[in-house]
Amino acid sequence: MAAIAELARALQFIVLTMKKIARLFTIKTKLEVFLITYALGLGAAERGKDYMVQYPGNVGKMFFVLCTVAVFIAASKMLEAIELHKAFGVD
């Protein structure tokens, strides 16, 4: 019985630790969304520059625009999710 109780405590510790780690990767505020959007935007601009070198002309410019637009679409979805979670979410 002592071994089972010890195993239960160990599993409970693991679950609590995993919840704490998962909380680090949860976006909870608009500020976090804006910071993530900034980082994604920097990466998208860098990728777009590479596309403009690989595909000169209008095709490269189109890929550049598509990279940046994808970031803004993702940001709008994240902002919408934050609002919906505030309205209907349960922690």
Side-chain angles (χ1 to χ4, degrees):
M1 284 300 180
I4 294 174
E6 192 171 324
L7 179 62
R9 271 188 252 119
L11 288 174
Q12 185 180 20
F13 175 75
I14 291 170
V15 169
L16 290 175
T17 304
M18 293 301 287
K19 284 183 181 180
K20 287 181 183 179
I21 291 172
R23 185 173 163 85
L24 291 173
F25 297 101
T26 302
I27 303 169
K28 293 210 174 253
T29 65
K30 286 185 178 182
L31 176 65
E32 293 171 346
V33 172
F34 293 135
L35 292 173
I36 290 168
T37 303
Y38 177 73
L40 290 173
L42 286 177
E46 209 43 51
R47 171 67 70 149
K49 282 183 359 186
D50 290 341
Y51 280 143
M52 288 179 69
V53 170
Q54 287 179 345
Y55 305 104
N58 289 334
V59 175
K61 291 176 186 175
M62 181 186 66
F63 282 154
F64 184 89
V65 170
L66 289 174
C67 285
T68 54
V69 168
V71 171
F72 293 121
I73 291 171
S76 69
K77 289 295 183 182
M78 286 188 285
L79 287 170
E80 185 179 328
I82 294 291
E83 292 297 322
L84 287 173
H85 185 71
K86 282 183 182 177
F88 302 110
V90 179
D91 283 335

